[in-house]
Amino acid sequence: MKPIRKVVIPVAGWGTRSLPATKNVPKEMLPVFNKPVIQHVVEEARAAGITDVVFVTNRDKSVIEDYFDHNLQLEGILERAGKYELLHTIQRVAEEVNVIAVRQKEQKGLGHAVLCARQIIGDDPFAIMVGDDLIFSGVPGIRQLADVALAENKSVVGVMEVPEENVSRYGIVDGEETAPGVYKVRGLVEKPKKEDAPSRLAIVGRYVLTADIFDYLEKTAPGVGGEIQLTDAMAAMCQDQGMMAVKIAGKRFDAGNWPEFLSANIYFGLQDESVRYQLIDELKQFLQLN
Ligand code: G1P
């Protein structure tokens, strides 16, 4: 398999879980510490050698593309003020990746969003990263998948173990462990009932797939929630050509879930020397600890 250079990041969702914060601001632009959620995701991709980011977007999301472009007026102001560190920080964001945007004109699910990127991806294997899932680890989450995809020459899906009561929120993988944390996938099912779930291995929004997935997506009928499900297309592809799953090592936050979003902010704040100690003091006061 060729190295992965392109990622599809679907960003056309309404962010209803995060209202009212997301009434006028895309959920991808909410900050986790000092960067928007989407920048954390793009940095994970960049750290895995991905150079081209395809945002599947809608008419209200152009601020995301703009964020990864130069803001010449602001750069000029910072330069004239001699604020070079800030200047370089915002210039780096614009230089990090090539941005390509494609519109998802109807909200027909994750599988449909990925299909919108078909013409741009072409024939090479590619990554998909769901922007709500923030993953922090030494080896970037998507790289953990790409390494196995290259070694096994197969599509790979990222998973994490979740409690039994949460399986119905995720795509669930039925697999046989072939090496620690690496599974040969037997099947996949989108949002099963607890009693029907084949395991507790939940898909966490990281995928490395061959371009064959597009043919399967074209043929996929609406599934759970009346949406075209990526999981259903993968299940069909898996029957024909096999697929692997990798248990992603690292910390995952669901940015659309308030407790996890807030935890992610604290997690990052604690890693920054300039805010760490004050943050600890404040938290101790809130929690009435000594
Ligand atoms: C999507 C996928 C699901 C996956 C999840 C991970 O669901 O359909 O298989 O487990 O992302 O975040 P959504 O959260 O969009 O309902």
Side-chain angles (χ1 to χ4, degrees):
M1 189 181 279
K2 287 191 192 168
I4 308 302
R5 296 284 175 250
K6 290 182 185 167
V7 62
V8 174
I9 307 183
V11 295
W14 282 105
T16 42
R17 287 193 296 165
S18 306
L19 283 169
T22 48
K23 183 171 169 247
N24 295 67
V25 177
K27 60 179 176 169
E28 295 80 10
M29 294 305 293
L30 297 181
V32 167
F33 184 39
N34 57 0
K35 296 172 192 170
V37 165
I38 194 68
Q39 191 178 347
H40 290 286
V41 177
V42 166
E43 284 180 359
E44 180 190 327
R46 191 69 200 92
I50 290 171
T51 50
D52 298 340
V53 173
V54 182
F55 290 122
V56 182
T57 179
N58 70 27
R59 48 175 298 174
D60 296 323
K61 302 277 183 141
S62 47
V63 65
I64 297 174
E65 293 151 62
D66 294 345
Y67 185 76
F68 292 97
D69 195 354
H70 286 284
N71 179 337
L72 294 179
Q73 195 180 7
L74 179 58
E75 288 179 19
I77 289 166
L78 292 174
E79 184 155 28
R80 284 193 293 281
K83 296 186 174 173
Y84 296 111
E85 207 179 316
L86 278 177
L87 173 64
H88 293 141
T89 300
I90 64 157
Q91 282 175 331
R92 264 199 305 274
V93 180
E95 285 153 12
E96 207 152 37
V97 285
N98 302 320
V99 169
I100 304 135
V102 59
R103 292 285 179 98
Q104 184 182 15
K105 296 177 188 172
E106 290 169 278
Q107 296 262 322
K108 293 203 279 190
L110 179 60
H112 176 253
V114 172
L115 193 50
C116 292
R118 179 170 203 165
Q119 302 305 323
I120 299 164
I121 296 297
D123 297 330
D124 290 340
F126 66 106
I128 303 168
M129 296 168 76
V130 172
D132 277 350
D133 284 315
L134 292 173
I135 294 172
F136 302 109
S137 62
V139 181
I142 196 68
R143 166 158 239 147
Q144 297 175 37
L145 270 63
D147 288 346
V148 174
L150 254 60
E152 301 281 339
N153 200 24
K154 285 221 166 7
S155 294
V156 179
V157 59
V159 293
M160 279 188 179
E161 232 159 81
V162 296
E164 201 183 27
E165 60 270 26
N166 292 346
V167 291
S168 60
R169 298 186 201 162
Y170 296 94
I172 300 292
V173 166
D174 178 18
E176 180 197 338
E177 197 164 14
T178 54
V182 179
Y183 301 80
K184 190 166 180 289
V185 178
R186 279 189 289 252
L188 305 105
V189 49
E190 180 67 10
K191 302 194 173 82
K193 285 193 204 136
K194 181 166 93 176
E195 50 278 19
D196 299 333
S199 77
R200 293 193 290 116
L201 291 176
I203 300 172
V204 288
R206 297 292 182 274
Y207 311 78
V208 169
L209 301 176
T210 64
D212 295 334
I213 193 67
F214 294 119
D215 287 338
Y216 290 90
L217 281 168
E218 297 269 14
K219 289 183 240 151
T220 299
V224 173
E227 298 188 333
I228 299 186
Q229 297 291 350
L230 179 58
T231 305
D232 293 345
M234 289 196 305
M237 188 166 86
C238 176
Q239 293 313 313
D240 293 344
Q241 30 182 278
M243 179 176 284
M244 306 298 288
V246 171
K247 205 187 264 182
I248 298 181
K251 183 89 190 100
R252 171 205 178 228
F253 300 97
D254 173 1
N257 168 296
W258 283 121
E260 293 190 32
F261 176 84
L262 296 171
S263 301
N265 273 279
I266 294 169
Y267 177 88
F268 267 94
L270 288 174
Q271 288 175 44
D272 187 291
E273 288 287 304
S274 68
V275 303
R276 178 183 172 85
Y277 301 104
Q278 190 182 344
L279 179 57
I280 291 173
D281 280 346
E282 306 260 359
L283 288 172
K284 278 183 177 166
Q285 284 178 40
F286 295 157
L287 298 168
Q288 296 182 321
L289 301 171
N290 293 314

